[in-house]
Every structure is written in C-alpha cells, then in structure tokens.
Amino acid sequence: MHNKNDRTLIIPETHAHERLDQVLAKLLPAYSRTQIQAWIEAGQVLVDGHTSKPKAKVKGGESVFVSVTLKPQPAYTAQAIPLCIVYEDDSLLIINKPVGLVVHPGAGNADQTLLNALLHHEPRLHQLPRAGILHRLDKNTSGLLVIAKTPAALRALSQQLKKRELLREYQAIVYGRLISGGTIDAPIGRHAMQRKRMAVIDTGKPALTHYRIAEKYRHWTRLTVRLETGRTHQIRVHLAHIRHPVVGDVAYGGRVQLSKGMSDELIHALRQFKHQALHAFALGLTHPTSGEWLRFEIDLPDDMQHLISLMQDDLRK
C-alpha cells in the first residue's frame, strides 16, 4: 500500500557505478543514508521492480521505487506556551528561549517544555525527531535556538552542527578578572559521583570552548564565548574548570562570592540572581535552501543588563 511519502525516481547516468545507498542518499537528501540502508535491507526499495542490496552498483537509467516509512515519534502534547520568535520561514525557526523553560521533555519535566510549545505553534513538527530541535540550552540559560521545520532542513542543519559550521556565541559574567581571552580544550563527561553533573574527565568527550573579554569589572569579567562542540553544560563546566565560574551558577560555581566595598544594591542583586549569568546572544548558519549565511543577535535579558550596570558602577567607585 503506497503512502504520500513514497518516491519513484530514475537513477541519472552520472551516478553509474556508484553504490545504491550512496546514490539514494544524494537523490533523497531529506533522509539519512542509515535510514535508506534500512529500507533497502527491508525490501522497501525496488530497482526495476526487484529488491536489491545497499552496496549494489547502479548502471544509470534504472527506475527506483522507495517505500518511505518514518519511525513514529513519541506522542508529545501540543501546549499553548508563548514563544519569542526572532525569525521564521518555511525551513526554519529561530526563537529566544527565556530562563526557566526546559527545551525537551524528560525526567521531572513531562511537559510545559519548548518542544510542547513548538508542536502547538507548528503541528507539522510532530513528524520530525524532537520536533526539529537541533541543539539545546539548559533550563536556566536564555537565548537563541534554531529549529528545523522540514526533514531536508533538519538534515542540512544537523550536518552544519556536526561539521562545527553552526556559529553559537554566548555572553557570560564570570567571577574574577581575566587578563586575556583563550581556548579551553578539556574533555567532558558525567561526574563520577554526582550523575546529574558533568565534569572535566580524561574519559569524557572532546570539548572546545573559545572565549574573549567583552568587559572587565572590579571582581568579575564579562566574556564572549564561542562553542565549537556542544557538550552538556559545556561553558559552565569549562569556566569553572579554569576557576572563573559563571555568576549565579549554583551547580558549578558554589556560593555567591562577595567582596569589600560592594554596594548594598550589588550585594542584593548577586544574592537574588538565581540562575547562571549566561545568554546565547548570537547564532549563525547557512540557510538550508537558499545557501545564504544568516546571523542573528539578541539583547541580553534585563536581569543580566541590570547586573552589568551595577558592576560598571562598582568599577567607577
């Protein structure tokens, strides 16, 4: 029984002597080669009416029928949660995630997440893995996220992420006065004792973080941070590793650090800052259909701006 996603195509002569799975991956870019191989093995790909093998060589000119079956996605609920949309077209969506919003349902967060909000905004996202969400931000980190709206966009943007071509820049306020920028190259994995935390460990996955100084204060530094890899809690773990933890980061920064001469207003603001002072302010990508390079920037949230102004006042004393 055919469905609307089934495809019939002719192998171009230019692909003669290539493997069937490789040719179909080029001709059907919305689907991964792994997915196509599974269909061939399952007999869902017919070459001139006959089943074949992924490694079989094509001659060119063959008629190929592909029975497309997509894995059913978990039945997440669409929920009317407000979204701050920065940009949207037929292929992708850029949103500014607020502090406190979890990106994806999981243990302790069955719903009321960004994923639930996306399904309400665009019901077609039910058909995509993770509703098209490519990368995540921690619950208490704000800023820009890109969401793919079609299988082809998801595949193209996933490739950019994998090849480290997706630009992700953050602003962070950290404890201590840094002298200069630098790069942190230290593997990250699960903490041996506290499984909800990550740590720099020899057996971890490679992790690379670049940082430069945006502004210096008396006891703090505001950094512009660029991610090259995307490990869980990467920026927070790396900055704590070099002993400049992110302000407000209870998990990796410990208690609030106070110093002599600070105003009562600054002390109060630091004590009341209940999330990490970390914001994904810039995002750059190659548009999956037009090929155009797009860059988006978003202002820092009000509470970070307020903290910065108090730190600037503290510096002028």
Side-chain angles (χ1 to χ4, degrees), residues 12 74 133 168 183 185 315:
I133 296 169
R168 291 170 292 164
T183 293
D185 184 355
L315 182 63

Side-chain angles (χ1 to χ4, degrees), residues 97-104 135-143 145 170 196 198 230-237 249 251-252 275-276 278 280:
K97 186 191 87 67
V99 164
L101 182 63
V102 174
V103 171
H104 192 274
H135 56 121
R136 302 186 187 190
L137 292 175
D138 301 337
K139 176 182 177 181
N140 288 325
T141 297
S142 56
L145 279 167
Y170 296 70
K196 287 188 177 180
M198 308 302 285
R231 308 301 170 210
T232 302
H233 302 171
Q234 179 172 320
I235 293 173
R236 298 162 61 194
V237 171
D249 190 348
Y252 299 104
H275 64 89
Q276 56 267 14
L278 181 63

Side-chain angles (χ1 to χ4, degrees), residues 15-90:
H15 290 296
H17 311 301
E18 293 182 29
R19 284 173 47 149
L20 176 63
D21 58 347
Q22 292 174 341
V23 173
L24 291 181
K26 293 172 188 172
L27 298 178
L28 302 171
Y31 310 110
S32 69
R33 186 148 65 100
T34 305
Q35 176 71 86
I36 287 167
Q37 286 171 341
W39 290 334
I40 297 170
E41 296 281 9
Q44 293 173 232
V45 174
L46 300 179
V47 181
D48 287 337
H50 302 286
T51 56
S52 189
K53 295 288 181 189
K55 293 181 181 179
K57 298 288 172 62
V58 299
K59 298 173 185 174
E62 296 100 325
S63 174
V64 179
F65 169 76
V66 183
S67 175
V68 174
T69 53
L70 301 174
K71 291 179 183 175
Q73 300 305 316
Y76 296 121
T77 309
Q79 294 174 312
I81 301 165
L83 287 174
C84 179
I85 297 172
V86 175
Y87 173 86
E88 183 173 19
D89 62 23
D90 291 340

Side-chain angles (χ1 to χ4, degrees), residues 262-271 306-307 309-310 313:
M262 290 170 57
S263 68
D264 290 342
E265 191 179 5
L266 179 51
I267 290 170
H268 178 74
L270 283 167
R271 284 182 168 155
H306 179 60
L307 195 59
S309 69
L310 293 174
D313 291 344

